[in-house]
Amino acid sequence: MKKKTYVSAGEASPGGKSLREQAGEIMAYMKANNYEVVEAGETITFKGIVQRSTSQAFFLVFCTAIGMLSLALVLQIQFQGLELPVIGKPNWFLLSLMSPYAGIYYWQAGDRVDECSFKLVADDDEKENSISVLGPEEEIERMWRSLEWQEKGMVKVSGILDAA
């Protein structure tokens, strides 16, 4: 969980939004991402389930297999003359057969519940809205980019690849 504060143009500034409009925008964004309102008071709290992904499970199996094969190569080079009493010369590459268990573990524990809290405050002259967000870092990053907020105390510098 991470807490960040963002600012947006307030009702008194040109092109700005009131706190009610800002709250509606946040509500629409969260509903579109399968979050439900848990508490709506001074702070608005949303709760949502992030589902497991088959592509992530397959990617995890692939990465684990590559890691195990790399480990097997190192072990084979390191222990060339090793002979164990019962099994003889070990085939280190059989370790890679354990990689599907990484996908099984992910699939059994893949769903997670995320919770996000928002607190909206307007400054005295209503030129700037302050939005305090408490939630998972990746969700906060996605949100501020799509809702076009600016982090408090930061200045936005247009990049080369920004839309002209």
Side-chain angles (χ1 to χ4, degrees):
M1 296 292 264
K2 196 160 195 164
K3 184 173 183 169
K4 286 194 172 186
T5 303
Y6 296 94
V7 292
S8 66
E11 192 172 11
S13 61
K17 298 176 185 159
S18 67
L19 285 180
R20 190 178 229 19
E21 288 176 294
Q22 196 83 54
E25 192 176 70
I26 292 169
M27 182 80 74
Y29 175 85
M30 296 306 276
K31 289 281 187 184
N33 287 303
N34 296 323
Y35 281 82
E36 296 294 323
V37 177
V38 175
E39 180 187 333
E42 191 172 310
T43 62
I44 306 167
T45 305
F46 295 92
K47 189 178 269 189
I49 295 177
V50 179
Q51 290 185 332
R52 57 188 175 225
S53 163
T54 53
S55 61
Q56 281 186 335
F58 286 127
F59 182 69
L60 189 60
V61 169
F62 173 74
C63 289
T64 306
I66 296 297
M68 290 296 195
L69 289 170
S70 299
L71 175 66
L73 183 61
V74 169
L75 290 173
Q76 183 178 1
I77 291 169
Q78 188 66 31
F79 301 111
Q80 288 178 359
L82 179 70
E83 231 177 282
L84 298 174
V86 177
I87 60 172
K89 279 191 133 187
N91 185 355
W92 297 109
F93 291 98
L94 291 177
L95 287 173
S96 64
L97 295 177
M98 293 187 339
S99 63
Y101 289 108
I104 292 169
Y105 175 77
Y106 168 76
W107 198 255
Q108 290 174 346
D111 289 342
R112 71 176 198 269
V113 177
D114 279 352
E115 197 169 292
C116 290
S117 297
F118 298 88
K119 185 174 183 177
L120 299 165
V121 179
D123 61 356
D124 292 335
D125 55 356
E126 293 190 6
K127 288 192 178 205
E128 194 173 76
N129 293 334
S130 177
I131 306 145
S132 295
V133 184
L134 175 66
E137 188 172 5
E138 61 271 2
E139 186 62 39
I140 292 173
E141 284 291 317
R142 195 173 3 167
M143 185 183 316
W144 78 264
R145 291 181 194 281
S146 65
L147 296 178
E148 297 176 357
W149 294 340
Q150 189 173 343
E151 196 167 350
K152 192 171 193 167
M154 299 288 196
V155 176
K156 183 175 181 180
V157 177
S158 296
I160 297 171
L161 300 176
D162 285 346

